Amino acid sequence: RSSDLDGFLPSVSNMVQSIQKELDTEAEAMRVSQHDLLSGGESFYTPDFDVASPVINRSLIQKAGYLNIRSKTGLVTTSWERLYFFTQGGNLMCQPRGAVAGGLVMDLDNCSVMAVDCEDRRYCFQITLPTGKANIILQAEGKKDYEEIG
């Protein structure tokens, strides 16, 4: 038994030392990678646009994306629902989750769009029909979308 342990203990010791060397090598490689990333500054991350001052295109003829739509749920209470909206042929369309195609929300010809204050939400706007009667209130998800819609 003692001879079995005599061979086993050095073997275990060699394995532990080998594993420790591998860990040290990996740790050094990670330190070098981290140093390279940190010394590179901002050159590694280039966002699609500057969030603080996005490029606004007010001459779009089509627009698509998610908007929140406000619905009245009572006399004074409202709820918001996030839906996918898009424009097509002068119409505002909406495609609910799971739907195969979009449905008409309103004809945008001669409609007016204006900013509105809504509770604690930013980027809200109202689309009003030329008759001035029906309108919907929507919320864009960010400043760029809000500015391009308005």
Side-chain angles (χ1 to χ4, degrees), residues 62-140:
Q62 285 190 308
K63 184 87 176 141
Y66 284 95
L67 297 170
N68 294 309
I69 184 167
R70 187 174 83 168
S71 304
K72 292 201 179 225
T73 54
L75 290 174
V76 289
T77 56
T78 58
S79 67
W80 293 85
E81 185 178 8
R82 184 176 183 259
L83 296 171
Y84 186 78
F85 288 87
F86 59 98
T87 57
Q88 183 177 37
N91 294 318
L92 179 63
M93 311 287 283
C94 175
Q95 185 168 350
R97 283 187 186 89
V100 179
L104 177 67
V105 176
M106 68 188 328
D107 180 355
L108 294 173
D109 290 336
N110 300 316
C111 285
S112 64
V113 178
M114 63 182 214
V116 291
D117 289 328
C118 291
E119 299 111 30
D120 60 346
R121 292 178 176 255
R122 300 188 297 176
Y123 310 129
C124 291
F125 59 96
Q126 174 178 288
I127 302 175
T128 306
L129 290 172
T131 60
K133 292 190 177 184
N135 65 52
I136 60 171
I137 295 178
L138 299 164
Q139 178 192 24

Side-chain angles (χ1 to χ4, degrees), residues 8-22:
F8 176 73
L9 291 177
S11 173
V12 169
S13 176
N14 287 340
M15 279 193 237
V16 168
Q17 287 176 355
S18 173
I19 290 170
Q20 188 61 49
K21 283 181 187 175
E22 284 181 45

